[in-house]
Amino acid sequence: MPDRTRFMLDERDMPTAWYNVQADLAEQIPPPLDAEGNPMGPEQLAVLFPMECIKQEVSQERYIDVPGAVIDVYKTYRPSPLIRAKALERVLGLPEGVKIFYKYEGVSPAGSHKPNTAIPQAYYNKLEGVKKISTETGAGQWGSALSIAGALFGIEVEVFMVKVSYEQKPYRRILMETYGATVHASPSNLTEAGRHVLAMDPDSTGSLGIAISEAVEVAVKDPDTHYSLGSVLNHVCLHQTVIGLEAIQQMEMAEAEPDVVIGCVGGGSNFAGIAFPYYKRRLDGKSKARLVAVEPKACPTLTAGEYRYDFGDEAKMTPQMMMYTLGHDFVPAGIHAGGLRYHGDSPLVSALVKSGDIEAVAVHQTACFEAAVTFARAEGILPAPESSHAIRVAIDEALAAKEAGEDKTVLFNLSGHGHFDLSAYEAYLAGRLKDYDFAAGTVLHD
Ligand SMILES: *Cc1c(COP(=O)(O)O)cnc(C)c1O
């Protein structure tokens, strides 16, 4: 194995097609349903999304070309590095046979993996002549990513930001506004959905589900506006596969094959991004990697949710999707990993958890911050609180191998940096962070 730390691809070796896992599922996933329970056709989705994304949503093609204009923008920050966590391995006292690698998506201008889909979504909307895109954001990363993409392609962006994050993370709002977006705290008084929630609970801290309702309502009511989602949907998972497709090439440069591939899961997109190409590699007989999805104990969708049809949002404006869900009216506790506070999950990730192809685990936030601080002090990168969930399990997997005297190669996706999450680190360092169990989350109403 080469004695190197960073494995960099040349931009000429960047993937030119995304990998569509739908081509390789044992069974097709159940279709989205409308409010009456009827399967939804492309026309019904066209009020919300560009036709190219709708086609990708149901496509059975294994590889889908990345448009040239998207590749050009990808090249401003991709390929992203794959790094061997040598310093972390030393700190953990790992034996030679136990190795940790991470793919680092914090190098994008938004500081996370989210531009990987924001860029193609903005591009496809631009092609259709859409003037404005409305969206929700939790921790602010998706809103930042779409704001940048909107600025690059000349499209207005309106963002409903979950109130707890709006208050905890003013810098994310300012970043979005600097890129030219308009940002509202959600629930807001600007939509029927927001007003409805405020009438029930004037102190609501909001949730992704509520913010989605608001953004969808804005798009449905304005023919020049489309809606955009930063996770969950099939086309979003598709766009994120650049992560895993690059990682496979880079692990080959490192002459290593992961035994376990780990990612944190909010709606499932960065996990899908690193894991789906490895799922394919497993089908091809070239990998035996376990695929491990990590979620917060405060919002344990995959480990404690039900696999059934549910709405993507609180006000039932979105299609119903077959997925693991805690219920569309579930409002999780205000943990700092805002991007992981979602009641549902990607239907593709859900189907693969259901079939046993993907494992899921849930962890508490204080254990994650402990892992994040260990990682930061060793590797120098300050992780996003969301990403710290993957780090926690990567460290646990490595330590378990050390304990058992086994060899193991661990690969995880470091989905973003935590430069805008310092108030969370402050709370952790001051010993003020609490852990929340699922039952402690409040259900807004039945
Ligand atoms: C949004 C976000 C997540 C969670 O979203 P997924 O769609 O599950 O990937 C995780 N990490 C970071 C840094 C994020 O910005």
Side-chain angles (χ1 to χ4, degrees):
M1 169 171 304
D3 184 32
R4 286 170 52 193
T5 304
R6 287 165 71 88
F7 298 88
M8 302 297 293
L9 279 182
D10 193 279
E11 66 176 36
R12 282 170 305 193
D13 297 324
M14 217 170 66
T16 54
W18 295 298
Y19 167 61
N20 179 17
V21 77
Q22 292 190 77
D24 290 313
L25 296 179
E27 276 173 60
Q28 261 178 266
I29 55 167
L33 305 179
D34 64 18
E36 282 76 48
N38 304 310
M40 284 182 83
E43 343 53 71
Q44 286 166 287
L45 294 168
V47 279
L48 297 180
F49 303 111
M51 202 39 83
E52 210 53 47
C53 292
I54 296 170
K55 280 194 217 151
Q56 293 174 356
E57 201 55 24
V58 296
S59 171
Q60 301 293 314
E61 292 283 314
R62 183 166 290 116
Y63 292 99
I64 295 177
D65 283 345
V66 185
V70 170
I71 291 188
D72 286 345
V73 182
Y74 273 178
K75 280 182 182 168
T76 59
Y77 66 95
R78 304 205 71 82
S80 69
L82 178 94
I83 301 169
R84 167 109 182 255
K86 283 188 182 158
L88 179 66
E89 291 173 5
R90 264 195 306 279
V91 168
L92 299 176
L94 299 182
E96 204 151 285
V98 184
K99 304 179 190 78
I100 302 177
F101 290 85
Y102 59 97
K103 178 76 170 152
Y104 185 40
E105 290 295 310
V107 294
S108 82
S112 77
H113 64 287
K114 296 232 167 57
N116 299 337
T117 186
I119 292 161
Q121 289 196 49
Y123 170 73
Y124 291 131
N125 273 295
K126 183 68 182 180
L127 283 188
E128 282 193 12
V130 168
K131 301 272 183 305
K132 183 163 97 179
I133 305 177
S134 66
T135 196
E136 76 293 333
T137 195
Q141 281 123 330
W142 170 240
S144 315
L146 194 68
S147 301
I148 295 165
L152 292 175
F153 288 105
I155 299 183
E156 251 181 86
V157 174
E158 182 168 354
V159 184
F160 290 87
M161 184 172 188
V162 177
K163 194 184 278 170
V164 62
S165 296
Y166 187 92
E167 285 164 1
Q168 280 174 359
K169 300 180 180 185
Y171 291 137
R172 278 276 171 200
R173 169 177 59 76
I174 298 163
L175 184 66
M176 291 183 263
E177 289 170 348
T178 305
Y179 287 119
T182 308
V183 187
H184 316 289
S186 167
S188 77
N189 275 313
L190 298 165
T191 64
E192 272 171 44
R195 288 190 292 273
H196 176 73
V197 174
L198 288 173
M200 317 270 310
D201 178 7
D203 299 323
S204 168
T205 52
S207 70
L208 275 176
I210 296 167
I212 292 172
S213 300
E214 294 205 86
V216 168
E217 187 179 322
V218 167
V220 168
K221 288 184 174 165
D222 179 356
D224 288 331
T225 299
H226 264 165
Y227 166 71
S228 171
L229 192 59
S231 187
V232 180
L233 300 180
N234 305 345
H235 67 272
V236 179
C237 294
L238 172 80
H239 301 155
Q240 292 297 349
T241 58
V242 283
I243 301 172
L245 293 168
E246 285 180 8
I248 286 175
Q249 294 185 65
Q250 290 164 306
M251 288 298 285
E252 280 177 350
M253 292 166 74
E255 293 168 27
E257 200 52 55
D259 296 299
V260 55
V261 175
I262 300 165
C264 65
V265 172
S269 74
N270 89 87
F271 173 75
I274 193 142
F276 287 178
Y278 274 101
Y279 170 80
K280 170 78 166 78
R281 196 167 169 82
R282 242 172 30 187
L283 293 180
D284 292 344
K286 292 187 195 159
S287 166
K288 292 197 172 76
R290 292 160 49 221
L291 310 174
V292 180
V294 189
E295 58 186 13
K297 282 225 170 158
C299 192
T301 313
L302 295 171
T303 52
E306 285 176 61
Y307 187 61
R308 63 173 167 87
Y309 271 106
D310 195 11
F311 293 94
D313 69 319
E314 132 76 33
K316 309 187 194 178
M317 307 267 308
T318 69
Q320 304 185 65
M321 290 170 291
M322 188 68 172
M323 60 183 175
Y324 280 96
T325 176
L326 297 168
H328 59 267
D329 53 4
F330 174 69
V331 180
I335 54 166
H336 285 273
L340 306 187
R341 293 176 77 239
Y342 186 59
H343 69 273
D345 232 307
S346 144
L348 288 170
V349 171
S350 294
L352 287 166
V353 169
K354 183 74 183 162
S355 64
D357 291 290
I358 289 172
E359 300 168 34
V361 290
V363 288
H364 274 310
Q365 68 170 353
T366 52
C368 293
F369 275 95
E370 185 198 13
V373 169
T374 302
F375 181 87
R377 289 177 187 175
E379 295 290 316
I381 296 172
L382 185 81
E386 290 83 359
S387 318
S388 75
H389 289 67
I391 300 175
R392 174 74 269 162
V393 172
I395 289 177
D396 290 348
E397 286 280 344
L399 290 177
K402 173 185 169 184
E403 196 79 1
E406 287 165 1
D407 286 354
K408 191 187 273 184
T409 298
V410 177
L411 168 63
F412 72 90
N413 191 40
L414 186 59
S415 52
H417 69 61
H419 296 180
F420 292 99
D421 302 284
L422 290 170
S423 63
Y425 279 92
E426 180 184 35
Y428 171 73
L429 294 172
R432 281 192 277 111
L433 269 200
K434 278 189 286 191
D435 285 329
Y436 301 90
D437 280 312
F438 172 47
T442 49
V443 173
L444 204 60
H445 59 85
D446 283 320

